[in-house]
Amino acid sequence: MKQYLFGKLGLLVVALVLSFAAQAQQGPKDIKIVLATVLDTVEPCNMMTTSDTGIVLRQNIVESLTQLDPKDSTALPLLATAWKPMDEAATTWRITLRKGVKFHDGSDFNAQAVAIAIDRLFSAQLGCRDRIRLFGKNKLTTKIINANTIDIIADQPLPLMPAYLAQIGMTSPKMDAQHLSRQPAGTGPYQLAKWDPSQELVVKRFDGYWGKKPEVERATYVWRSEPALRAQMVAVGEADIGTAIALQDANNPKTDFAYLNSETVRLRMLSMAPPLDDVRVRKALNMAIDRQAFIGSILSPSVVPASQYILPNIAGYNPTLKVWPYDPKAAKALIAEARAAGVPVDKEIILYGGGHQHANSAEMLESMVQMWKAVGLNVNLKMIEKVQFGAMRRKPYADNRPPTLFHEQHDNSSGDAVFTMFVYYHSNGQLSNVSDPRVDQLIDEASKSTGPKRVQLFQEANKIIQQQIIPDVMLFHMSDQIRVSPRISYRPNFTTGGKLELSSITFSK
């Protein structure tokens, strides 16, 4: 207990020292936001896929053509004011653009700029993660109609084009299409002023912004890995917002707010080498986990056990799928059956975890390892750094990989299952370990369909994945805690994990 109190006191002293230094530099309309992990890229074509980048760039520095209503994911105007399909197959969409908009570098926002931004997204040299996640091998091309009108053409029918347009950042035509950007120029209410990957990132208000002028003039982002330190920095006035506060540190109802975010956590079977190639072992991994034991202890009381990798409000969610029951007796029986059939169930399974994923992630994974040990599985945890974590989870995968579990979470706040199903479960998905012709066909057909048929096809794909293939240990729809200083007014919503709009922050009177 003494060591714990000393640790807390040390964090407080550090935060106080930092506070005195910061108060001398911070203006009355400036704020500081402390993030959980270092911001290692400011490339706009990675901001939808990489939450840490998105929380800074999305709708702050770089805007999209449309935006999604957080209530129901309906596409709303932003840089585009109108859109309509030009053919029955919905492959070509005519987009009307907002007039009088400037990029931060002085370039005009017009049809030519949109065409260049879309070409940049598909640049082979950049290898944009957003392009891989959204489109796979499909491609968008453009046809300029006039300065304020452009046709966007998909290789295949794209009935959800307006929703896709909310995922594509509009970047200046002057930005390099060969190399990842360190100085992104968008049309947003803020522009990048400074980025030091070892210390901080600073944005300042863009006086030429086309929309309403926000109250915050300058925002500084810093990163601290310890949740308690993030909480203390806000408590002593050294920061105004602390993200991803651990449950045990969210102890002030006046400043701490819990919210269901759009993240879902799972353990992906990154390699199904024996014994993971046996479905009985994959079932046992799921049935050995007591999900309820984590709720309100290691994780927030607001988290919800998950049966699939999308939230219930996403079109394509299958309500007939049930959360795996906690049944260690049945798990032991499955392992015994597999052992009798010659499956090497005692072989080591490596579980890779990332502490940056969410608060108390290491503690959660360590507890799961003990639950698997109790039913006879040999799982060993290895916590890895963010850079290594990102490299391991994407194709091309290394050959001869041992049986591997991979702790990851996915943000789908876009209203439709397509933004999850292709990248994670299609044979061509960049983050997929699944290769099943039935699933591929269902996802391909659903992507071209609309209405109830689209939902039904995605639901059927989810059923096959979660009941027959079982490529993951599905865990929780996550909630988060955020600490907000009394000097500002900000309330989180389910998009906050990947998008924190500075324009929604006001100062307390």
Side-chain angles (χ1 to χ4, degrees):
M1 179 61 74
K2 289 182 178 179
Q3 185 177 5
Y4 174 79
L5 291 174
F6 179 78
K8 286 284 188 179
L9 181 61
L11 290 173
L12 179 59
V13 170
V14 171
L16 283 169
V17 171
L18 292 172
S19 174
F20 296 142
Q23 287 173 359
Q25 302 174 9
Q26 186 166 296
K29 296 293 185 180
D30 297 351
I31 66 168
K32 180 178 284 187
I33 299 172
V34 55
L35 306 175
T37 61
V38 61
L39 191 70
D40 55 9
T41 177
V42 291
E43 171 50 59
C45 75
N46 293 334
M47 69 180 184
M48 303 298 175
T49 307
T50 308
S51 297
D52 303 323
T53 302
I55 204 170
V56 175
L57 266 62
R58 288 182 67 183
Q59 314 305 7
N60 291 325
I61 294 176
V62 179
E63 295 179 305
S64 48
L65 291 174
T66 64
Q67 59 184 334
L68 299 181
D69 188 328
K71 297 178 183 177
D72 58 11
S73 296
T74 301
L76 302 173
L78 192 58
L79 291 177
T81 58
W83 47 86
K84 62 180 180 180
M86 300 301 290
D87 53 32
E88 188 175 349
T91 55
T92 299
W93 287 74
R94 182 155 294 176
I95 313 298
T96 304
L97 305 176
R98 189 177 297 278
K99 299 178 181 178
V101 177
K102 291 279 189 180
F103 287 97
H104 301 148
D105 59 10
S107 303
D108 291 325
F109 171 76
N110 52 31
Q112 183 179 16
V114 173
I116 294 173
I118 290 176
D119 284 346
R120 186 178 187 276
L121 177 69
F122 285 88
S123 166
Q125 289 79 9
L126 287 182
C128 295
R129 297 174 192 168
D130 292 349
R131 186 267 299 169
I132 293 168
R133 173 180 173 181
L134 292 170
F135 300 103
K137 293 185 177 181
N138 298 329
K139 188 175 182 180
L140 299 183
T141 54
T142 58
K143 179 182 178 181
I144 296 173
I145 306 304
N146 57 48
N148 300 299
T149 310
I150 187 170
D151 284 353
I152 300 179
I153 305 135
D155 286 347
Q156 300 181 9
L158 203 59
L160 290 188
M161 177 69 83
Y164 276 87
L165 297 182
Q167 316 301 318
I168 302 174
M170 290 293 106
T171 51
S172 167
K174 295 180 181 178
M175 283 182 58
D176 185 359
Q178 308 296 315
H179 304 91
L180 297 178
S181 176
R182 294 180 59 86
Q183 188 66 41
T187 61
Y190 295 88
Q191 60 188 119
L192 184 63
K194 175 187 177 183
W195 177 43
D196 179 350
S198 66
Q199 292 188 3
E200 65 180 12
L201 180 144
V202 181
V203 301
K204 62 180 181 180
R205 194 167 62 190
F206 175 46
D207 292 334
Y209 183 55
W210 61 270
K212 181 181 178 181
K213 183 170 70 173
E215 288 191 22
V216 173
E217 295 180 354
R218 185 182 181 93
T220 300
Y221 298 84
V222 297
W223 26 89
R224 304 288 185 268
S225 60
E226 174 55 53
L229 179 55
R230 295 195 296 276
Q232 288 296 330
M233 287 174 69
V234 178
V236 301
E238 202 277 322
D240 296 287
I241 293 177
T243 65
I245 302 302
L247 178 63
Q248 62 268 24
D249 298 312
N251 51 22
N252 185 345
K254 294 183 178 180
T255 61
D256 303 338
F257 304 96
Y259 63 99
L260 266 176
N261 58 34
S262 55
E263 303 277 5
T264 300
V265 172
R266 70 166 180 172
L267 304 178
R268 174 164 47 127
M269 295 173 196
L270 193 61
S271 169
M272 287 193 184
L276 295 182
D277 62 340
D278 191 278
V279 71
R280 290 166 293 198
V281 175
R282 302 200 295 274
K283 288 180 179 179
L285 282 164
N286 275 279
M287 298 177 78
I289 299 300
D290 184 0
R291 291 163 178 81
Q292 290 295 329
F294 296 99
I295 300 175
S297 54
I298 290 177
L299 301 178
S300 168
S302 303
V303 304
V304 178
S307 65
Q308 53 209 284
Y309 215 24
I310 53 177
L311 295 166
N313 66 331
I314 301 297
Y317 179 89
N318 190 329
T320 69
L321 297 179
K322 305 300 181 184
V323 176
W324 281 94
Y326 173 53
D327 193 339
K329 183 177 179 180
K332 288 180 180 179
L334 285 167
I335 293 168
E337 183 180 327
R339 178 182 282 111
V343 178
V345 295
D346 297 321
K347 186 175 181 180
E348 180 188 48
I349 300 170
I350 301 174
L351 167 60
Y352 288 104
H356 63 282
Q357 292 288 71
H358 55 81
N360 296 341
S361 57
E363 292 84 350
M364 181 189 77
L365 296 175
E366 288 166 357
S367 297
M368 289 181 178
V369 167
Q370 294 305 312
M371 292 177 184
W372 288 317
K373 183 178 180 180
V375 299
L377 289 170
N378 179 19
V379 181
N380 287 316
L381 173 63
K382 293 185 179 181
M383 299 297 290
I384 55 177
E385 295 300 321
K386 182 181 177 183
V387 174
Q388 184 185 5
F389 190 94
M392 288 182 64
R393 66 193 294 253
R394 294 181 176 86
K395 294 178 179 178
Y397 299 127
D399 295 330
N400 301 318
R401 291 169 295 151
T404 307
L405 296 171
F406 201 77
H407 167 228
E408 62 185 2
Q409 62 181 1
H410 163 57
D411 168 12
N412 185 339
S413 55
S414 305
D416 191 86
V418 70
F419 299 110
T420 300
M421 300 297 287
F422 183 88
V423 70
Y424 288 106
Y425 296 117
H426 194 283
S427 297
N428 295 328
Q430 183 66 14
L431 301 176
S432 173
N433 294 85
V434 176
S435 182
D436 189 299
R438 299 169 300 167
V439 172
D440 289 351
Q441 182 177 359
L442 287 166
I443 293 174
D444 289 340
E445 288 187 32
S447 300
K448 302 173 187 177
S449 303
T450 58
K453 180 180 179 182
R454 181 186 186 90
V455 172
Q456 180 183 354
L457 290 167
F458 277 133
Q459 288 178 341
E460 183 60 29
N462 262 324
K463 184 177 181 180
I464 293 173
I465 291 164
Q466 296 301 335
Q467 292 188 347
Q468 298 180 33
I469 302 174
I470 315 174
D472 39 36
V473 178
M474 202 57 62
L475 294 174
F476 301 101
H477 301 308
M478 296 297 285
S479 68
D480 210 343
Q481 288 76 227
I482 190 170
R483 176 165 286 184
V484 180
S485 166
R487 73 183 285 260
I488 65 170
S489 177
Y490 174 76
R491 293 297 179 268
N493 59 47
F494 80 101
T495 67
T496 297
K499 180 179 69 171
L500 200 166
E501 295 185 53
L502 298 174
S503 59
S504 66
I505 297 174
T506 58
F507 290 89
S508 303
K509 305 302 181 183

PDB file of all heavy atoms in Angstrom, residues 21-32 202 215-220 237 240 487-488 507:
ATOM      1  N   ALA A  21       4.789  25.097 -15.140  1.00  0.00           N
ATOM      2  CA  ALA A  21       5.482  25.473 -16.365  1.00  0.00           C
ATOM      3  C   ALA A  21       4.493  25.780 -17.477  1.00  0.00           C
ATOM      4  O   ALA A  21       4.672  26.721 -18.262  1.00  0.00           O
ATOM      5  CB  ALA A  21       6.428  24.355 -16.798  1.00  0.00           C
ATOM      6  N   ALA A  22       3.432  24.989 -17.571  1.00  0.00           N
ATOM      7  CA  ALA A  22       2.476  25.156 -18.660  1.00  0.00           C
ATOM      8  C   ALA A  22       1.642  26.413 -18.496  1.00  0.00           C
ATOM      9  O   ALA A  22       1.319  27.085 -19.469  1.00  0.00           O
ATOM     10  CB  ALA A  22       1.570  23.943 -18.737  1.00  0.00           C
ATOM     11  N   GLN A  23       1.268  26.754 -17.247  1.00  0.00           N
ATOM     12  CA  GLN A  23       0.406  27.902 -17.021  1.00  0.00           C
ATOM     13  C   GLN A  23       1.056  29.200 -17.467  1.00  0.00           C
ATOM     14  O   GLN A  23       0.368  30.159 -17.841  1.00  0.00           O
ATOM     15  CB  GLN A  23       0.023  27.973 -15.545  1.00  0.00           C
ATOM     16  CG  GLN A  23      -0.983  26.888 -15.150  1.00  0.00           C
ATOM     17  CD  GLN A  23      -1.234  26.840 -13.666  1.00  0.00           C
ATOM     18  OE1 GLN A  23      -0.652  27.610 -12.898  1.00  0.00           O
ATOM     19  NE2 GLN A  23      -2.088  25.930 -13.246  1.00  0.00           N
ATOM     20  N   ALA A  24       2.390  29.245 -17.455  1.00  0.00           N
ATOM     21  CA  ALA A  24       3.079  30.449 -17.884  1.00  0.00           C
ATOM     22  C   ALA A  24       3.026  30.622 -19.399  1.00  0.00           C
ATOM     23  O   ALA A  24       3.226  31.703 -19.917  1.00  0.00           O
ATOM     24  CB  ALA A  24       4.541  30.400 -17.424  1.00  0.00           C
ATOM     25  N   GLN A  25       2.762  29.536 -20.138  1.00  0.00           N
ATOM     26  CA  GLN A  25       2.792  29.575 -21.596  1.00  0.00           C
ATOM     27  C   GLN A  25       1.400  29.540 -22.212  1.00  0.00           C
ATOM     28  O   GLN A  25       1.214  30.004 -23.328  1.00  0.00           O
ATOM     29  CB  GLN A  25       3.595  28.373 -22.116  1.00  0.00           C
ATOM     30  CG  GLN A  25       5.015  28.314 -21.584  1.00  0.00           C
ATOM     31  CD  GLN A  25       5.716  27.032 -22.003  1.00  0.00           C
ATOM     32  OE1 GLN A  25       5.214  26.276 -22.820  1.00  0.00           O
ATOM     33  NE2 GLN A  25       6.886  26.791 -21.437  1.00  0.00           N
ATOM     34  N   GLN A  26       0.419  29.011 -21.523  1.00  0.00           N
ATOM     35  CA  GLN A  26      -0.878  28.755 -22.118  1.00  0.00           C
ATOM     36  C   GLN A  26      -1.757  29.981 -22.094  1.00  0.00           C
ATOM     37  O   GLN A  26      -1.924  30.641 -21.072  1.00  0.00           O
ATOM     38  CB  GLN A  26      -1.549  27.609 -21.362  1.00  0.00           C
ATOM     39  CG  GLN A  26      -2.865  27.144 -21.974  1.00  0.00           C
ATOM     40  CD  GLN A  26      -3.305  25.827 -21.407  1.00  0.00           C
ATOM     41  OE1 GLN A  26      -2.634  24.821 -21.587  1.00  0.00           O
ATOM     42  NE2 GLN A  26      -4.431  25.829 -20.713  1.00  0.00           N
ATOM     43  N   GLY A  27      -2.349  30.339 -23.252  1.00  0.00           N
ATOM     44  CA  GLY A  27      -3.256  31.455 -23.336  1.00  0.00           C
ATOM     45  C   GLY A  27      -4.631  31.102 -22.829  1.00  0.00           C
ATOM     46  O   GLY A  27      -4.959  29.923 -22.637  1.00  0.00           O
ATOM     47  N   PRO A  28      -5.496  32.111 -22.628  1.00  0.00           N
ATOM     48  CA  PRO A  28      -6.824  31.856 -22.062  1.00  0.00           C
ATOM     49  C   PRO A  28      -7.728  31.017 -22.958  1.00  0.00           C
ATOM     50  O   PRO A  28      -8.669  30.393 -22.487  1.00  0.00           O
ATOM     51  CB  PRO A  28      -7.392  33.262 -21.857  1.00  0.00           C
ATOM     52  CG  PRO A  28      -6.623  34.132 -22.805  1.00  0.00           C
ATOM     53  CD  PRO A  28      -5.254  33.538 -22.877  1.00  0.00           C
ATOM     54  N   LYS A  29      -7.461  31.000 -24.251  1.00  0.00           N
ATOM     55  CA  LYS A  29      -8.268  30.220 -25.184  1.00  0.00           C
ATOM     56  C   LYS A  29      -7.491  29.025 -25.735  1.00  0.00           C
ATOM     57  O   LYS A  29      -7.860  28.461 -26.769  1.00  0.00           O
ATOM     58  CB  LYS A  29      -8.764  31.098 -26.327  1.00  0.00           C
ATOM     59  CG  LYS A  29      -9.703  32.220 -25.888  1.00  0.00           C
ATOM     60  CD  LYS A  29     -11.042  31.677 -25.370  1.00  0.00           C
ATOM     61  CE  LYS A  29     -12.009  32.805 -25.052  1.00  0.00           C
ATOM     62  NZ  LYS A  29     -13.306  32.304 -24.546  1.00  0.00           N
ATOM     63  N   ASP A  30      -6.406  28.654 -25.071  1.00  0.00           N
ATOM     64  CA  ASP A  30      -5.614  27.492 -25.457  1.00  0.00           C
ATOM     65  C   ASP A  30      -5.997  26.310 -24.568  1.00  0.00           C
ATOM     66  O   ASP A  30      -6.361  26.491 -23.408  1.00  0.00           O
ATOM     67  CB  ASP A  30      -4.123  27.765 -25.296  1.00  0.00           C
ATOM     68  CG  ASP A  30      -3.632  28.884 -26.204  1.00  0.00           C
ATOM     69  OD1 ASP A  30      -4.414  29.320 -27.067  1.00  0.00           O
ATOM     70  OD2 ASP A  30      -2.488  29.312 -26.029  1.00  0.00           O
ATOM     71  N   ILE A  31      -5.881  25.107 -25.116  1.00  0.00           N
ATOM     72  CA  ILE A  31      -6.132  23.918 -24.314  1.00  0.00           C
ATOM     73  C   ILE A  31      -5.019  22.901 -24.544  1.00  0.00           C
ATOM     74  O   ILE A  31      -4.270  22.992 -25.522  1.00  0.00           O
ATOM     75  CB  ILE A  31      -7.498  23.270 -24.634  1.00  0.00           C
ATOM     76  CG1 ILE A  31      -7.519  22.712 -26.065  1.00  0.00           C
ATOM     77  CG2 ILE A  31      -8.631  24.247 -24.406  1.00  0.00           C
ATOM     78  CD1 ILE A  31      -8.721  21.822 -26.335  1.00  0.00           C
ATOM     79  N   LYS A  32      -4.941  21.943 -23.625  1.00  0.00           N
ATOM     80  CA  LYS A  32      -3.993  20.837 -23.760  1.00  0.00           C
ATOM     81  C   LYS A  32      -4.758  19.524 -23.590  1.00  0.00           C
ATOM     82  O   LYS A  32      -5.569  19.380 -22.681  1.00  0.00           O
ATOM     83  CB  LYS A  32      -2.871  20.921 -22.738  1.00  0.00           C
ATOM     84  CG  LYS A  32      -1.858  19.781 -22.847  1.00  0.00           C
ATOM     85  CD  LYS A  32      -0.713  19.928 -21.844  1.00  0.00           C
ATOM     86  CE  LYS A  32       0.258  20.997 -22.291  1.00  0.00           C
ATOM     87  NZ  LYS A  32       1.459  21.047 -21.421  1.00  0.00           N
ATOM     88  N   VAL A 202       1.013  20.470 -31.976  1.00  0.00           N
ATOM     89  CA  VAL A 202       0.271  21.709 -31.724  1.00  0.00           C
ATOM     90  C   VAL A 202      -0.512  22.092 -32.978  1.00  0.00           C
ATOM     91  O   VAL A 202       0.027  22.059 -34.088  1.00  0.00           O
ATOM     92  CB  VAL A 202       1.219  22.869 -31.336  1.00  0.00           C
ATOM     93  CG1 VAL A 202       0.423  24.143 -31.058  1.00  0.00           C
ATOM     94  CG2 VAL A 202       2.070  22.494 -30.127  1.00  0.00           C
ATOM     95  N   GLU A 215     -14.182  28.319 -30.620  1.00  0.00           N
ATOM     96  CA  GLU A 215     -13.668  29.095 -29.494  1.00  0.00           C
ATOM     97  C   GLU A 215     -12.197  28.801 -29.196  1.00  0.00           C
ATOM     98  O   GLU A 215     -11.430  29.698 -28.863  1.00  0.00           O
ATOM     99  CB  GLU A 215     -14.508  28.830 -28.236  1.00  0.00           C
ATOM    100  CG  GLU A 215     -15.888  29.453 -28.277  1.00  0.00           C
ATOM    101  CD  GLU A 215     -16.577  29.394 -26.922  1.00  0.00           C
ATOM    102  OE1 GLU A 215     -15.878  29.272 -25.884  1.00  0.00           O
ATOM    103  OE2 GLU A 215     -17.819  29.477 -26.901  1.00  0.00           O
ATOM    104  N   VAL A 216     -11.806  27.528 -29.283  1.00  0.00           N
ATOM    105  CA  VAL A 216     -10.424  27.162 -28.972  1.00  0.00           C
ATOM    106  C   VAL A 216      -9.493  27.748 -30.026  1.00  0.00           C
ATOM    107  O   VAL A 216      -9.691  27.551 -31.229  1.00  0.00           O
ATOM    108  CB  VAL A 216     -10.266  25.633 -28.918  1.00  0.00           C
ATOM    109  CG1 VAL A 216      -8.794  25.240 -28.761  1.00  0.00           C
ATOM    110  CG2 VAL A 216     -11.097  25.056 -27.778  1.00  0.00           C
ATOM    111  N   GLU A 217      -8.480  28.484 -29.576  1.00  0.00           N
ATOM    112  CA  GLU A 217      -7.537  29.106 -30.501  1.00  0.00           C
ATOM    113  C   GLU A 217      -6.342  28.217 -30.803  1.00  0.00           C
ATOM    114  O   GLU A 217      -5.804  28.239 -31.913  1.00  0.00           O
ATOM    115  CB  GLU A 217      -7.046  30.434 -29.927  1.00  0.00           C
ATOM    116  CG  GLU A 217      -8.146  31.482 -29.801  1.00  0.00           C
ATOM    117  CD  GLU A 217      -7.641  32.790 -29.218  1.00  0.00           C
ATOM    118  OE1 GLU A 217      -6.449  32.836 -28.803  1.00  0.00           O
ATOM    119  OE2 GLU A 217      -8.441  33.750 -29.153  1.00  0.00           O
ATOM    120  N   ARG A 218      -5.931  27.439 -29.817  1.00  0.00           N
ATOM    121  CA  ARG A 218      -4.724  26.626 -29.967  1.00  0.00           C
ATOM    122  C   ARG A 218      -4.873  25.381 -29.104  1.00  0.00           C
ATOM    123  O   ARG A 218      -5.362  25.458 -27.974  1.00  0.00           O
ATOM    124  CB  ARG A 218      -3.505  27.451 -29.523  1.00  0.00           C
ATOM    125  CG  ARG A 218      -2.146  26.800 -29.723  1.00  0.00           C
ATOM    126  CD  ARG A 218      -1.081  27.772 -29.181  1.00  0.00           C
ATOM    127  NE  ARG A 218       0.266  27.259 -29.342  1.00  0.00           N
ATOM    128  CZ  ARG A 218       1.048  27.508 -30.382  1.00  0.00           C
ATOM    129  NH1 ARG A 218       0.601  28.284 -31.369  1.00  0.00           N
ATOM    130  NH2 ARG A 218       2.266  27.012 -30.458  1.00  0.00           N
ATOM    131  N   ALA A 219      -4.483  24.239 -29.637  1.00  0.00           N
ATOM    132  CA  ALA A 219      -4.555  22.992 -28.867  1.00  0.00           C
ATOM    133  C   ALA A 219      -3.215  22.278 -28.954  1.00  0.00           C
ATOM    134  O   ALA A 219      -2.644  22.125 -30.041  1.00  0.00           O
ATOM    135  CB  ALA A 219      -5.656  22.091 -29.403  1.00  0.00           C
ATOM    136  N   THR A 220      -2.718  21.861 -27.815  1.00  0.00           N
ATOM    137  CA  THR A 220      -1.473  21.109 -27.721  1.00  0.00           C
ATOM    138  C   THR A 220      -1.798  19.686 -27.284  1.00  0.00           C
ATOM    139  O   THR A 220      -2.508  19.472 -26.296  1.00  0.00           O
ATOM    140  CB  THR A 220      -0.510  21.747 -26.709  1.00  0.00           C
ATOM    141  OG1 THR A 220      -0.200  23.079 -27.130  1.00  0.00           O
ATOM    142  CG2 THR A 220       0.782  20.946 -26.601  1.00  0.00           C
ATOM    143  N   GLY A 237      -4.625  20.875 -13.411  1.00  0.00           N
ATOM    144  CA  GLY A 237      -4.673  21.983 -14.353  1.00  0.00           C
ATOM    145  C   GLY A 237      -3.594  21.993 -15.398  1.00  0.00           C
ATOM    146  O   GLY A 237      -3.450  22.977 -16.138  1.00  0.00           O
ATOM    147  N   ASP A 240      -6.344  19.818 -20.086  1.00  0.00           N
ATOM    148  CA  ASP A 240      -7.786  20.081 -20.061  1.00  0.00           C
ATOM    149  C   ASP A 240      -8.613  18.838 -20.356  1.00  0.00           C
ATOM    150  O   ASP A 240      -9.749  18.741 -19.912  1.00  0.00           O
ATOM    151  CB  ASP A 240      -8.123  21.176 -21.075  1.00  0.00           C
ATOM    152  CG  ASP A 240      -7.475  22.500 -20.713  1.00  0.00           C
ATOM    153  OD1 ASP A 240      -7.944  23.131 -19.759  1.00  0.00           O
ATOM    154  OD2 ASP A 240      -6.493  22.879 -21.370  1.00  0.00           O
ATOM    155  N   ARG A 487     -12.684  24.052 -16.607  1.00  0.00           N
ATOM    156  CA  ARG A 487     -12.573  25.314 -17.349  1.00  0.00           C
ATOM    157  C   ARG A 487     -13.152  25.225 -18.754  1.00  0.00           C
ATOM    158  O   ARG A 487     -13.342  26.245 -19.414  1.00  0.00           O
ATOM    159  CB  ARG A 487     -11.112  25.781 -17.408  1.00  0.00           C
ATOM    160  CG  ARG A 487     -10.211  24.996 -18.323  1.00  0.00           C
ATOM    161  CD  ARG A 487      -8.770  25.495 -18.241  1.00  0.00           C
ATOM    162  NE  ARG A 487      -8.583  26.754 -18.933  1.00  0.00           N
ATOM    163  CZ  ARG A 487      -8.062  26.871 -20.160  1.00  0.00           C
ATOM    164  NH1 ARG A 487      -7.689  25.792 -20.842  1.00  0.00           N
ATOM    165  NH2 ARG A 487      -7.915  28.051 -20.709  1.00  0.00           N
ATOM    166  N   ILE A 488     -13.444  24.003 -19.233  1.00  0.00           N
ATOM    167  CA  ILE A 488     -14.031  23.838 -20.554  1.00  0.00           C
ATOM    168  C   ILE A 488     -15.292  22.992 -20.480  1.00  0.00           C
ATOM    169  O   ILE A 488     -15.539  22.315 -19.467  1.00  0.00           O
ATOM    170  CB  ILE A 488     -13.045  23.194 -21.557  1.00  0.00           C
ATOM    171  CG1 ILE A 488     -12.708  21.761 -21.137  1.00  0.00           C
ATOM    172  CG2 ILE A 488     -11.793  24.042 -21.721  1.00  0.00           C
ATOM    173  CD1 ILE A 488     -11.934  20.982 -22.188  1.00  0.00           C
ATOM    174  N   PHE A 507     -15.603  27.210 -23.634  1.00  0.00           N
ATOM    175  CA  PHE A 507     -15.018  27.554 -22.331  1.00  0.00           C
ATOM    176  C   PHE A 507     -16.110  27.912 -21.331  1.00  0.00           C
ATOM    177  O   PHE A 507     -17.096  28.565 -21.676  1.00  0.00           O
ATOM    178  CB  PHE A 507     -14.033  28.714 -22.482  1.00  0.00           C
ATOM    179  CG  PHE A 507     -12.780  28.336 -23.203  1.00  0.00           C
ATOM    180  CD1 PHE A 507     -12.707  28.425 -24.588  1.00  0.00           C
ATOM    181  CD2 PHE A 507     -11.683  27.844 -22.518  1.00  0.00           C
ATOM    182  CE1 PHE A 507     -11.567  28.048 -25.278  1.00  0.00           C
ATOM    183  CE2 PHE A 507     -10.520  27.468 -23.194  1.00  0.00           C
ATOM    184  CZ  PHE A 507     -10.478  27.576 -24.577  1.00  0.00           C
TER     185      PHE A 507
END
